[in-house]
């Protein structure tokens, strides 16, 4: 099948299979942590704080991580991040198994995972190009990677919902710890021919400045990074309120919460499959604009949904819009950034995506506490729609400017 063509490459196939198992465990743990924190505290603010500390390191560390990774063996960095992640998962599993329900402890371990992820995500994304021999298949590999992530987003919460109501919370955390065995085994079977890392003459802070100058000077990439940053700050964090919607607004339980997570994952898979079928990276800007508008509208409609089935339908569309927006921007950056700037460009993508979400999670938690979850989510949907419209206006203006300059040069040449 055309959609699976990147799996013919051995290294990518091993990466794909190992991550598939590990990410299911990760989403099981994510679902269990959210449910556990809200069950113990009943606080929307604490839900926002847990989301904040797990992602804020990406805002602070991602640009540094991009420069650091370019100066070191990326495969070794990836192995180290997976080992440390396994130890973190083991510590959290032990805490829950022995019923040491410490909210400060959960927050501290979530912060540690956030620090690891700042390096891990940038490293995995920058290694993708090394796993695919034919670079024309890179967009397909990125889309398959996103498909894998979002299938895990469906399976993880669905399994977690069953386990939470039958076997208990500790089993979710132990399962995530064990899932790292699969990803580490697959990593050690990979055979990547990475070029030797040449020690740069400049220091890492100079490279940070060069990376910022490159990204800010590339209008296509910078506009997408800004667009993603706004979405991550004001729209994507709507998901923080899902435990409140499931438990308080729809009088549900852990299984109801898992339905919300799973339907969003289903929508994400629909987008990922569509993107994986694209033959090239043309048309990504159009996909980004349509997806951004769909995302904002879906969040606004979800905020006002009164019936659970209707809410789950809108949740599916939020997954479609969010996945298409973030994955298309990721693909555009990886396929258009200069090779010597790819890691640094990706690090700004990670910063805008992962780094802004924690601030948004904290913000929507405070908003929901002050004015109610429906109003808070409705505001996020409106911001999403407005930001999409501004992006469309900017792109139209940029296109008109390029056409004007082209016509000007042609006119000058004819004279």
């Amino acid at each position: 099948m055309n959609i699976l063509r990147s799996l013919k490459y051995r290294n990518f196939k091993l990466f794909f299979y190992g991550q598939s198992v590990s990410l299911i465990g990760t989403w099981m743990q994510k679902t269990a942590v959210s449910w556990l924190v809200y069950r113990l505290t009943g606080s929307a603010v604490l839900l926002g704080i847990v989301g904040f500390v797990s992602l804020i390191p990406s805002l602070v560390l991602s640009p540094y991580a991009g420069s650091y990774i370019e100066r070191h063996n990326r495969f070794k960095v990836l192995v180290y991040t997976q080992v440390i992640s396994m130890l973190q998962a083991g510590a959290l599993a032990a805490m829950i198994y022995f019923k040491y329900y410490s909210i400060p402890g959960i927050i501290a371990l979530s912060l540690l995972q956030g620090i690891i992820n700042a390096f891990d995500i940038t490293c995995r994304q920058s290694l993708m190009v090394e796993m695919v021999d034919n670079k024309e298949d890179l967009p397909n590999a990125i889309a398959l990677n996103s498909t894998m992530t979002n299938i895990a987003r469906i399976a993880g919460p669905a399994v977690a919902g069953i386990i939470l109501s039958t076997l208990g919370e500790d089993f979710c955390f132990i399962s995530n710890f064990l899932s790292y065995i699969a990803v580490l085994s697959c990593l050690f079977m990979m055979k990547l021919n990475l070029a030797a890392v040449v020690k740069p003459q400049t220091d890492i802070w100079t490279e940070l400045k060069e990376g910022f100058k490159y990204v800010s000077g590339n209008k296509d990439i910078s506009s997408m990074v800004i667009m993603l940053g706004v979405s991550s700050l004001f729209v994507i964090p709507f998901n923080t309120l899902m435990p409140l919607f499931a438990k308080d607004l729809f009088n549900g339980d852990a299984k109801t919460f898992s339905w919300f997570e799973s339907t969003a994952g289903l929508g994400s898979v629909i987008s990922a499959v569509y993107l994986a079928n694209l033959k090239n990276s043309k048309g990504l800007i159009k996909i980004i604009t349509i997806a951004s508008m769909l995302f904002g509208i879906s969040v606004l409609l979800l905020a006002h949904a009164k019936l659970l089935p209707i809410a789950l339908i809108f949740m599916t569309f939020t997954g479609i819009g969010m996945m298409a927006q973030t994955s298309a921007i990721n693909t555009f950056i990886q396929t258009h950034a200069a090779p010597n700037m790819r890691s640094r460009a990706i690090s700004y993508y990670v910063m805008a995506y992962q780094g802004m979400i924690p601030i948004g999670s904290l913000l929507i938690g405070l908003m929901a506490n002050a004015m109610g979850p429906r109003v808070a989510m409705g505001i996020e949907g409106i911001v999403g729609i407005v930001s999409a419209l501004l992006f469309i206006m900017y792109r139209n203006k940029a296109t008109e400017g390029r056409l004007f300059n082209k016509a000007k040069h042609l006119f000058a040449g004819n004279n």
Side-chain angles (χ1 to χ4, degrees):
M1 292 176 63
N2 187 51
I3 191 175
L4 301 176
R5 61 184 182 272
S6 297
L7 292 179
K8 64 186 176 184
Y9 305 111
R10 182 177 184 274
N11 289 322
F12 181 74
K13 181 166 62 175
L14 286 169
F15 172 82
F16 184 88
Y17 291 155
Q19 288 289 326
S20 296
V21 176
S22 180
L23 285 171
I24 290 175
T26 298
W27 274 101
M28 287 175 62
Q29 176 174 293
K30 177 181 171 63
T31 304
V33 165
S34 295
W35 184 254
L36 177 65
V37 169
Y38 193 63
R39 180 179 69 80
L40 293 175
T41 66
S43 171
V45 174
L46 278 174
L47 272 178
I49 289 174
V50 170
F52 178 84
V53 300
S54 66
L55 294 173
I56 192 62
S58 292
L59 176 63
V60 179
L61 296 176
S62 287
Y64 175 84
S67 297
Y68 178 89
I69 289 164
E70 286 191 351
R71 301 166 70 95
H72 296 81
N73 185 300
R74 286 171 287 171
F75 180 75
K76 289 183 178 179
V77 173
L78 182 60
V79 171
Y80 293 152
T81 60
Q82 296 301 304
V83 170
I84 299 172
S85 292
M86 185 178 187
L87 295 175
Q88 183 269 354
L92 189 55
M95 179 188 296
I96 305 305
Y97 180 78
F98 292 107
K99 302 190 184 304
Y100 180 67
Y101 297 129
S102 168
I103 298 300
I106 292 173
I107 292 173
L109 287 172
S110 297
L111 176 62
L112 174 60
Q113 187 61 57
I115 295 171
I116 299 166
N117 284 342
F119 290 84
D120 176 66
I121 295 172
T122 302
C123 191
R124 276 191 284 124
Q125 295 290 343
S126 63
L127 265 176
M128 198 78 66
V129 70
E130 307 292 344
M131 300 179 195
V132 180
D133 298 336
N134 186 346
K135 304 315 172 196
E136 290 184 359
D137 288 330
L138 179 60
N140 176 258
I142 295 170
L144 278 182
N145 183 56
S146 298
T147 305
M148 166 190 66
T149 301
N150 288 289
I151 288 176
R153 186 177 179 177
I154 295 174
V159 174
I162 296 171
I163 291 175
L164 285 170
S165 58
T166 55
L167 300 176
E169 294 155 344
D170 53 348
F171 198 86
C172 286
F173 294 101
I174 293 170
S175 297
N176 182 48
F177 169 70
L178 295 176
S179 72
Y180 282 98
I181 296 174
V183 67
L184 286 170
S185 298
C186 288
L187 285 176
F188 288 129
M189 287 190 286
M190 291 170 62
K191 296 178 181 178
L192 289 174
N193 296 318
L194 297 177
V197 179
V198 179
K199 192 72 173 179
Q201 299 299 316
T202 56
D203 60 72
I204 197 166
W205 301 109
T206 301
E207 290 190 357
L208 279 169
K209 293 177 183 177
E210 291 174 351
F212 177 78
K213 185 177 180 180
Y214 173 77
V215 172
S216 60
N218 187 310
K219 298 304 181 184
D220 286 333
I221 293 178
S222 62
S223 64
M224 291 180 190
V225 168
I226 292 170
M227 171 71 177
L228 183 60
V230 172
S231 183
S232 298
L233 178 62
F234 294 112
V235 193
I236 294 176
F238 85 94
N239 201 43
T240 304
L241 300 182
M242 285 305 101
L244 280 76
F245 268 63
K247 188 173 186 292
D248 296 342
L249 300 184
F250 291 104
N251 300 313
D253 53 15
K255 187 177 292 185
T256 311
F257 173 46
S258 73
W259 290 344
F260 277 101
E261 294 288 348
S262 296
T263 50
L266 174 61
S268 297
V269 168
I270 292 171
S271 278
V273 170
Y274 170 77
L275 291 169
N277 273 308
L278 294 178
K279 294 181 179 179
N280 51 55
S281 58
K282 294 179 181 178
L284 287 175
I285 293 175
K286 184 177 180 181
I287 292 172
I288 291 167
T289 55
I290 294 173
S292 300
M293 183 63 70
L294 175 63
F295 188 24
I297 292 172
S298 300
V299 171
L300 180 59
L301 293 175
L302 175 62
H304 296 285
K306 302 297 183 182
L307 300 175
L308 180 58
I310 301 299
L312 293 176
I313 290 172
F314 291 144
M315 192 70 178
T316 304
F317 279 101
T318 67
I320 293 173
M322 182 175 68
M323 168 63 203
Q325 180 194 60
T326 57
S327 186
I329 292 174
N330 181 15
T331 303
F332 186 94
I333 292 174
Q334 293 216 40
T335 53
H336 288 77
N340 65 320
M341 289 288 177
R342 185 176 290 113
S343 292
R344 278 173 275 186
I346 292 171
S347 72
Y348 279 93
Y349 165 84
V350 175
M351 181 181 72
Y353 182 25
Q354 299 275 17
M356 300 305 290
I357 290 177
I359 300 175
S361 296
L362 189 60
L363 179 63
I364 196 171
L366 294 170
M367 288 170 59
N369 196 55
M371 59 185 70
R374 289 194 185 276
V375 175
M377 187 178 290
I379 291 173
E380 298 225 318
I382 292 171
V383 171
I385 295 169
V386 172
S387 64
L389 290 172
L390 290 174
F391 181 75
I392 292 169
M393 292 170 60
Y394 173 82
R395 295 302 313 177
N396 289 339
K397 186 177 180 180
T399 301
E400 290 173 0
R402 279 195 287 264
L403 290 173
F404 176 79
N405 289 332
K406 186 176 180 180
K408 184 178 178 182
H409 288 310
L410 286 172
F411 180 78
N414 291 332
N415 289 309

